[in-house]
Amino acid sequence: MSEAAGSELDAVYGGLPADTHPTIHALLPVMTTAGRDSRAYADWKLNVVIDGLLRHRRPS
């Protein structure tokens, strides 16, 4: 994932309202790329989000 894409994810996470996304809001300090290896951390963040979506999908 590019650094720009990681920054976009940071903006998306930061823009989510705390009342509807309390877990993501609580994890914002560890889900932003500031001060870290941006590429590796952005990849990790995306995997966390995808894993969470797959585990919480509605049954068909």
Side-chain angles (χ1 to χ4, degrees), residues 14-52:
L16 295 172
D19 60 335
T20 57
H21 300 85
T23 303
I24 290 177
H25 185 73
L27 293 173
L28 281 176
V30 296
M31 292 188 71
T32 59
T33 57
R36 301 170 193 220
D37 176 356
S38 295
R39 180 178 171 85
Y41 201 60
D43 289 345
W44 175 82
K45 289 190 307 184
L46 185 57
N47 285 324
V48 167
V49 171
I50 291 170
D51 288 347

